[in-house]
Amino acid sequence: MSILPKTSRREFLKLATTAGGGLLLGFYWNDTAAGAAHVVSNVSLTPDDITFNSYLSIAPDGIVTILSPNPELGQNIKTSFPMIVAEELDADWSKVKVLQAALDTRKFERQVTGGSGAIPHSWERLRKAGASARQMLLEAAAKRWQVATDTLTTSQGVVTHAASKRNATYGELAAEAGKLSVPATVTLKDKKDFTLIGQAIRNVDNHEIVTGKPLYGLDFYREGMLFAVIQRPRAFGTKIKSVDAAAAKAMPGIVDVVTFRNNVAVVGKSTWLVNKARQVLKIEYEPDGARESTTDHDKFFKTLLDTSEATVRRKDGDVDAAFKQAATVITREYQCPFLPHAPLEPMNFFAHVREEGVELVGPTQTPEMARTETAKLLGIPAEKITLELTRLGGGFGRRLKADYVLEAAELSSIIKAPVKVVWMREDDMMGGSYRPAVRYRFSAALNDQGEMIGYKLRGVGINAGNCTREDNFPSGAVDNVLIDSVEHKSPITTGAWRAPITNFLAFAEQAFIDEVARAAKKDPVQFRLSLLDKAKRTPTGAVKYDVDRMKAVIQLAAEKSGWGRKPKISQGFSVYFSHRSYVAQVAEVSMKNGKPVLQKIHAAADCGIVVNLSGANQQVRGGIVDGLGHAFFGNLTFNGGAVEQKNFNTYKLIRMKDVPEIDVHFVNNGMDPTGLGEPALPPTGGAVANAFFAATGKRFYNQPFDKQQDAIPQANIDRM
């Protein structure tokens, strides 16, 4: 497998044309019907004639090329997409190449990276593209050899007629296949016959990444472009009162200093020069709304948890009666702080605004939204804007927003020049769009048999919208349920953060259920399984999760971890459903020199069919490390509207020595893929917290854990 450099649609068509005598198959990404595809031979191939949507081409040398639309930020679609096509095509994987598509809303649907949805959305489309091309190659061979297509087989890019011992490569047949009509219907492989899907395939960008090839937005350079850094307000709830830029303008290499909206941009010849000049800006700010501190947020939480003005999200049965009749009532509260996304590559984008059109280049998870908002900002048709995608150096939801794209576009329009706006780490930490801070209050009512007969959850979030997931487990498994939420509006900006809402809600819920199970004197795993049995047998209200899939990951995790069978190891359990997939985890803690040490995490995931075992393993492991690190260390606090942690010297991230051994298993149920970029993160905090309780008798109710005594993972210290 190899990767081609970024190529525009027009350049791709030129490439296909010059390949000579090949097959170019276009298929609609927003329609899974094979009949929507078109075939064009290289004889008539010109850029202006092609109006279909995406491309699978086979050149005479047998190289298979596919244009891939979705942004790649480490979730592996740049490898997994062509794997799916190659599987149905029976291609030789070493001859498959993938091109990153530019934004084109006429050609592609859901050109987005977010919500763990790329593979589920494109699974059938990609399979049918590969199967259609394979069928046409079979028909071309059958016509050449005057035999029936059902007497032919394909493997590794070769069509074979066993009876006559004849064979032909896909490249040799491509020109003839390109003259045939696309089949109206195609037969997809039986999933048991997959030979590529499910294997561990290396990421196609690995070599370019480790050898420092220019793949990312920060790598992008255009001859003659300028660089800019922007000074934004250092505190939420403030605005610019005055700017003295004389000293900055006088520094070498500085082209201009521009004030627009609530920003001051320093423009010059390099990032070093503009960043040095920014340091001598003299900007005075004045109040523009509330300047909130973390102490204020704590007061809001306490008040709003008791307010009578909450939005009811779900209500089943008679909750008040259930709690009055209860033999035991357990009530607990859990709180998490704001968190930045802190991707390795800070925000950046290139823009060149000209009379004839606008060019945008950089890393974004939502290219269509970026273009649409740019069009609104500049007052021009979206069709006059092109957007080329680079690889993203992390996103975690931050690059779902387009604010940094708009900054570049507006600045270019003001200075009348091409410019790349680059955020420094401090800009990234202080620039907003954080994971919302949230506090939850859970209550459970148990009868004298230890059965949960009532369940209440109130969530209070700061700019979080609905901070509950009212239809998630254990809803449907408890007869009497009340779930509601309250929101505090704040000047502090928030946004989606990997596994939105559930990234903390899952910890709180699973830590609480563990405590309820122990209060009921029941095994925590069996307690959950009993609730799921009830949801299956006698559900209350809608059950919007798959009981059998959740039970399967619970049972697999318990089996692989030896749940309850390790006398010298304290275990903690957690299970969660998010983004259509299910993950259960068992964390293991041992005591060394009187201190708890996190030794291992076992994970069982059901994401349907695993396309790339290597990529899937990394997604689960990465989610666990992300969840573990932020549960233990992540903490962003405010004083007078200003962020107190401005860089990694004060904002702690997980280190390699803190990462335990991780054991990953997948449920093989044959279902179509359901997504994996986020589901492994939510269960981690709960599993670890429950294991620490089992070892020490101490509960964690707030994150980060390291603010609480003895909450130090220590993981691999003794093994390194």
Side-chain angles (χ1 to χ4, degrees), residues 1-4 12 15-16 19 22-24 56-66 89 91-99 157 169-172 174:
M1 177 69 193
S2 59
I3 181 73
L4 293 179
F12 174 82
L15 179 152
L23 164 65
L24 177 67
L56 164 65
S57 74
I58 302 175
D61 61 0
I63 297 296
V64 178
T65 304
I66 183 171
L89 182 59
D92 178 349
W93 179 247
S94 67
K95 293 186 177 181
V96 175
K97 297 183 179 180
V98 59
L99 303 177
T169 67
Y170 285 179
E172 292 168 344

Side-chain angles (χ1 to χ4, degrees), residues 356-379:
E356 60 270 25
V358 177
E359 180 187 14
L360 301 173
V361 183
T364 172
Q365 293 178 244
T366 52
E368 181 179 357
M369 185 183 77
R371 185 177 72 169
T372 299
E373 293 194 10
T374 299
K376 290 179 181 177
L377 173 73
L378 301 178

Side-chain angles (χ1 to χ4, degrees), residues 400-597:
L400 290 169
K401 288 196 170 184
D403 55 312
Y404 60 101
V405 182
L406 298 180
E407 286 179 343
E410 186 165 10
L411 182 58
S412 177
S413 72
I414 294 170
I415 65 175
K416 309 297 183 187
V419 63
K420 182 161 79 169
V421 172
V422 178
W423 293 40
M424 301 296 112
R425 179 59 59 192
E426 290 81 2
D427 299 320
D428 207 51
M429 298 290 289
M430 300 170 65
S433 192
Y434 306 115
R435 194 271 302 269
V438 180
R439 189 173 181 90
Y440 293 108
R441 177 184 290 159
F442 289 82
S443 295
L446 299 176
N447 63 19
D448 53 10
Q449 283 83 46
E451 297 168 331
M452 187 156 59
I453 59 173
Y455 179 80
K456 292 194 291 187
L457 166 61
R458 169 163 291 185
V460 178
I462 299 177
N463 292 349
N466 176 13
C467 60
T468 72
R469 291 296 180 263
E470 62 273 12
D471 293 322
N472 275 14
F473 177 83
S475 292
V478 183
D479 289 336
N480 306 287
V481 171
L482 175 62
I483 298 175
D484 58 22
S485 67
V486 185
E487 183 177 29
H488 169 71
K489 295 291 187 181
S490 169
I492 298 170
T493 57
T494 61
W497 193 96
R498 191 176 188 182
I501 301 300
T502 62
N503 53 61
F504 177 73
L505 174 59
F507 152 71
E509 174 201 285
Q510 290 295 302
F512 179 68
I513 288 177
D514 189 82
E515 194 163 352
V516 173
R518 293 180 185 276
K521 296 180 170 53
K522 295 184 178 180
D523 174 79
V525 169
Q526 190 55 51
F527 186 72
R528 291 170 173 84
L529 289 172
S530 296
L531 284 169
L532 288 168
D533 285 340
K534 184 183 183 306
K536 182 83 169 182
R537 185 178 63 253
T538 56
T540 300
V543 177
K544 296 188 178 180
Y545 48 89
D546 189 313
V547 170
D548 294 331
R549 292 181 71 189
M550 185 172 279
K551 287 182 66 175
V553 295
I554 291 174
Q555 291 163 347
L556 183 60
E559 173 197 340
K560 296 299 184 181
S561 66
W563 174 260
R565 301 195 300 274
K566 298 179 178 179
K568 294 184 179 181
I569 297 293
S570 298
Q571 294 179 311
F573 188 84
S574 179
V575 62
Y576 210 71
F577 158 64
S578 68
H579 297 87
R580 302 169 296 276
S581 294
Y582 299 77
V583 179
Q585 294 178 19
V586 175
E588 297 183 343
V589 170
S590 63
M591 299 298 292
K592 292 189 177 181
N593 301 319
K595 292 184 177 181
V597 178

